Amino acid sequence: ADFGNIGTVIPSQSGNSGKFLTTNGTVASWGVVTTPGSVLLNTTTVSSPVASVDFVNGSGGVVFDGTYKSYIIEVINVIPTTNDDLCIRTSTDTGSSYDSGAGNYSYVVGGADSIPSTSLQGSNSATFIKTNVNSISNAAANSGANGWFSLQNPVGTSRFCVYGQLGYANSIGNFNTATVFGQRLASADVDGIRFFFSSTTIESGTFKLYGVN
């Protein structure tokens, strides 16, 4: 190796504090150190009824473009206008439309309540990903649905996946937990995520999107 010419091989250090030296096999360059952890990208608070809450790439600080390895969505006190099920759909055209055809999604969701009893539901040919078993109560005193969802592979050639957990009171006031795993069956670059209730509106609640390094 010709170490006498090392100064001409290493790129300029000016303005590159804290970066690391890397190479593509031919040319050396500086790489950015990624800090582990999560970054809050967007907070959406519903205070009057809306049909859905959407997170769309390029809107309101949302980035579904490979910047982050995965994403977390936190739901806080999310209440339906009438007792209902919280669901997820995806978009591949930055929110112009959301896939809603039979066979677009597959999911399995299991739950338990305070009776106690357990239940399991699922579909290999669904029009959405359902996130709970028993309907979520619309009574404000029951605090709505609370929990989180992990989003994997929103961009790339692998199927978009969601895994999550919810706690809530059902329509008769019993406390419930639910765990869901779902997929968008066609592999595509997902650039929009929609949360909605299957047959009613979102009365109130908060949704927070985090990017995870």
Side-chain angles (χ1 to χ4, degrees), residues 17 31 35 49 53 55 80 86 100 107 188-189 201:
S17 176
T35 302
V53 168
F55 294 104
L86 184 62
S100 58
Y107 72 87
D189 286 342
T201 54

Side-chain angles (χ1 to χ4, degrees), residues 2-56:
D2 186 2
F3 294 106
N5 294 322
I6 193 168
T8 63
V9 175
I10 296 178
S12 172
Q13 298 181 51
S14 177
N16 291 303
S17 176
K19 297 182 180 180
F20 64 91
L21 187 63
T22 185
T23 178
N24 62 5
T26 303
V27 178
S29 62
W30 296 109
V32 178
V33 178
T34 301
T35 302
S38 60
V39 178
L40 178 61
L41 302 178
N42 179 279
T43 299
T44 298
T45 298
V46 177
S47 55
S48 58
V50 296
S52 66
V53 168
D54 301 340
F55 294 104
V56 178

Side-chain angles (χ1 to χ4, degrees), residues 11-212:
S12 172
Q13 298 181 51
S14 177
N16 291 303
S17 176
K19 297 182 180 180
F20 64 91
L21 187 63
T22 185
T23 178
N24 62 5
T26 303
V27 178
S29 62
W30 296 109
V32 178
V33 178
T34 301
T35 302
S38 60
V39 178
L40 178 61
L41 302 178
N42 179 279
T43 299
T44 298
T45 298
V46 177
S47 55
S48 58
V50 296
S52 66
V53 168
D54 301 340
F55 294 104
V56 178
N57 183 48
S59 176
V62 176
V63 285
F64 292 133
D65 60 2
T67 299
Y68 298 96
K69 296 179 180 178
S70 60
Y71 298 84
I72 297 290
I73 294 179
E74 184 181 13
V75 297
I76 304 167
N77 303 136
V78 174
I79 299 173
T81 302
T82 58
N83 303 329
D84 207 354
D85 300 317
L86 184 62
C87 304
I88 297 171
R89 283 181 174 142
T90 62
S91 172
T92 59
D93 55 12
T94 57
S96 294
S97 63
Y98 285 83
D99 299 310
S100 58
N104 284 159
Y105 307 95
S106 176
Y107 72 87
V108 58
V109 56
D113 64 27
S114 54
I115 292 176
S117 64
T118 60
S119 181
L120 187 66
Q121 298 177 9
S123 173
N124 284 322
S125 183
T127 61
F128 50 68
I129 297 171
K130 184 181 177 183
T131 69
N132 57 284
V133 176
N134 298 312
S135 294
I136 298 166
S137 169
N138 70 330
N142 288 331
S143 300
N146 292 271
W148 57 270
F149 300 94
S150 174
L151 312 180
Q152 306 293 328
N153 309 319
V155 295
T157 58
S158 300
R159 289 179 178 179
F160 165 84
C161 300
V162 57
Y163 171 79
Q165 293 184 317
L166 280 182
Y168 59 96
N170 64 14
S171 59
I172 58 174
N174 292 329
F175 294 113
N176 284 241
T177 62
T179 300
V180 60
F181 178 77
Q183 289 187 336
R184 184 183 189 276
L185 292 178
S187 299
D189 286 342
V190 170
D191 52 23
I193 309 294
R194 167 168 287 178
F195 284 83
F196 66 101
F197 284 103
S198 62
S199 59
T200 190
T201 54
I202 301 171
E203 182 73 18
S204 60
T206 299
F207 298 75
K208 294 188 175 184
L209 172 67
Y210 299 85
V212 182

